[in-house]
Amino acid sequence: MGTFIPLVVLAIVFLLIAVRKIGNVNFRIWQVMLLGALAVLATGSITPLDALASINLDVMLFLFFMFVIGEALAASGYLYHLSFRLFSRAESVRHLVFLILVGAGVLSALLMNDTLAVVGTPLMLYFARRHGISPKLLLLALAFAVTTGSVASPIGNPQNLLVALSGGIENPFITFPLYLAVPTAISLLLAYVFLCRAFPGELHPTSLVHREEEICDPGLAALARLSLILLVLLIGARVAAVMLAPEIDIRLTWIAVVAAIPILVGSGRRFEILRRIDWPTLVFFASLFVLMASVWQSGFFQPLIEGSSLDLATVPVIVATGVVVSQFVSNVPFVALSLPALSHLGTSAVDMMALAAGSTIAGNMLILGAASNVIVIQGAERDGETLTFGEFARVGVPLTLAQTAVYVVFLSLIPA
């Protein structure tokens, strides 16, 4: 029974995240995940030392310092000031949704999807209030954009980075877009179509009236702007280093640390910013690592993947397995398990791209399929808005099935 305790806890966590309520008690996602982590610790399914070791410090630090930058951008008013330049061309709700999908999709390939989720969430809520649009429509647009757009880049998300570094891919910054840019563009268009069909009442023809917001704290805005410039420059340096000098490792964690320094050192509001960052999401991720490590240690999924009678070296199976299994053990552990298995089978670059696509596009299906989804929803809940499990799945499940078909067909047509 001990082996199955983590699986039972995981199932209960999924159920609680789906219903979010027992009697008169309402649960938030981070609370449910924390309870799950405490349950596997209390039952001895994972030791305290293993639990501590399972928490990925790089991810936690990256998110912490990105939250600092995101909070400074929002608190200073610079984020909304900047949004006027980026989105003032949107003439209607349809046009705005399209620009969000394209803009956030392209940027997530460069800045990593979690970064866009942090910065983009308060912007979506601002647009919803400013133009009287359903926040659920815009939050879903952001979530689907950052997940889908990140597929086509080796630095778009952590699992792609893992494939790029450990999958034997030559020139990943050429290989990823070469194989995945076209189906990703089609998948972003599919997200637009599915969102328009899901929210027909929001797509009124009334023209949007944009207004350039005043910066409420010029000093903090200048520091936030400097942090944003540093972030973009350092990520550009990382891209150049990977292409020209692979031996130089510019870690994402240190990029976030350096980019946040102007705010933490130069602003008199540093302690206010630290108080207001999204601490519940950090608790969620620490708890997620502990729960998933206990599920991993149960050994339930490894034999299912390694001993499967399916031909794991075919594009449809790789993509479909990535979409399904990533819902239960998270996409990064799934990729970490699959890489040695696929390498042993002598797979090609196409198969590795299928692994990246399937494990990433899985994030569009359910809330827990991608870390960026949780960042978006937790950020929204801080401002009194939310997306339920059902609301996300209502659009996400059919969209993911359609996008999966696009990647399978496209990658299957490419010679191995």
Side-chain angles (χ1 to χ4, degrees), residues 119-141:
V119 176
T121 301
L123 196 55
M124 296 304 104
L125 298 176
Y126 164 76
F127 285 145
R129 289 190 295 265
R130 178 76 182 85
H131 300 298
I133 306 168
S134 165
K136 298 182 188 298
L137 167 59
L138 299 186
L139 291 171
L140 282 171

Side-chain angles (χ1 to χ4, degrees), residues 15-37:
L15 182 63
L16 283 176
I17 287 175
V19 299
R20 302 273 192 95
K21 190 173 184 178
I22 296 179
N24 294 323
V25 180
N26 291 303
F27 288 98
R28 293 196 171 187
I29 293 178
W30 72 270
Q31 294 168 330
V32 174
M33 193 60 69
L34 177 59
L35 288 173

Side-chain angles (χ1 to χ4, degrees), residues 32-200:
V32 174
M33 193 60 69
L34 177 59
L35 288 173
L38 293 174
V40 293
L41 276 167
T43 56
S45 301
I46 187 170
T47 66
L49 283 178
D50 283 346
L52 196 60
S54 72
I55 298 174
N56 189 317
L57 194 58
D58 279 340
V59 172
M60 300 299 293
L61 289 173
F62 174 80
L63 287 174
F64 173 82
F65 289 105
M66 285 309 305
F67 284 148
V68 168
I69 297 170
E71 182 62 38
L73 285 167
S76 66
Y78 185 70
L79 179 64
Y80 313 113
H81 178 78
L82 187 62
S83 74
F84 177 80
R85 300 182 184 181
L86 299 175
F87 295 100
S88 60
R89 295 179 182 178
E91 299 171 354
S92 63
V93 177
R94 282 181 180 272
H95 195 186
L96 179 61
V97 170
F98 181 80
L99 287 179
I100 290 168
L101 285 166
V102 174
V106 171
L107 285 174
S108 67
L110 303 173
L111 300 178
M112 203 169 225
N113 57 356
D114 292 349
T115 307
L116 265 293
V118 172
V119 176
T121 301
L123 196 55
M124 296 304 104
L125 298 176
Y126 164 76
F127 285 145
R129 289 190 295 265
R130 178 76 182 85
H131 300 298
I133 306 168
S134 165
K136 298 182 188 298
L137 167 59
L138 299 186
L139 291 171
L140 282 171
L142 176 64
F144 295 149
V146 300
T147 294
T148 307
S150 72
V151 175
S153 165
I155 60 167
N157 53 66
Q159 63 272 14
N160 276 16
L161 188 60
L162 195 57
V163 171
L165 296 177
S166 307
I169 304 296
E170 292 186 12
N171 300 317
F173 281 94
I174 296 173
T175 303
F176 270 80
L178 184 66
Y179 286 86
L180 298 173
V182 172
T184 296
I186 295 170
S187 293
L188 284 170
L189 289 175
L190 281 174
Y192 174 75
V193 171
F194 275 76
L195 284 168
C196 288
R197 290 181 61 184
F199 293 88

Side-chain angles (χ1 to χ4, degrees), residues 193-366:
V193 171
F194 275 76
L195 284 168
C196 288
R197 290 181 61 184
F199 293 88
E202 295 293 324
L203 306 176
H204 47 77
T206 309
S207 296
L208 300 181
V209 179
H210 299 275
R211 183 182 66 202
E212 187 169 5
E213 296 288 342
E214 294 293 326
I215 291 174
C216 55
D217 186 335
L220 182 58
L223 293 170
R225 181 172 179 269
L226 176 58
S227 289
L228 206 55
I229 291 170
L230 280 172
L231 185 68
V232 173
L233 289 177
L234 288 169
I235 288 177
R238 176 190 171 89
V239 172
V242 172
M243 294 180 69
L244 303 174
E247 68 278 3
I248 300 176
D249 182 20
I250 305 177
R251 297 170 67 177
L252 284 169
T253 304
W254 295 114
I255 289 175
V257 170
V258 172
I261 284 175
I263 296 163
L264 293 174
V265 173
S267 175
R269 296 176 64 185
R270 66 180 70 85
F271 294 113
E272 177 192 343
I273 290 168
L274 289 175
R275 282 196 306 271
R276 291 176 56 180
I277 66 171
D278 196 354
W279 290 104
T281 296
L282 294 175
V283 172
F284 168 88
F285 277 99
S287 304
L288 173 70
F289 286 128
V290 173
L291 177 56
M292 290 306 179
S294 71
V295 171
W296 196 251
Q297 288 182 11
S298 75
F300 179 79
F301 286 99
Q302 287 89 329
L304 293 181
I305 297 173
E306 294 171 352
S308 173
S309 58
L310 295 171
D311 184 357
L312 293 178
T314 61
V315 165
V317 173
I318 294 171
V319 175
T321 304
V323 169
V324 174
V325 179
S326 293
Q327 306 301 324
F328 300 98
V329 294
S330 189
N331 41 26
V332 176
F334 167 73
V335 169
L337 173 67
S338 300
L339 278 171
L342 289 176
S343 298
H344 179 71
L345 294 171
T347 48
S348 63
V350 175
D351 297 325
M352 288 299 168
M353 294 302 98
L355 177 63
S359 60
T360 300
I361 214 68
N364 284 338
M365 182 172 276
L366 301 173

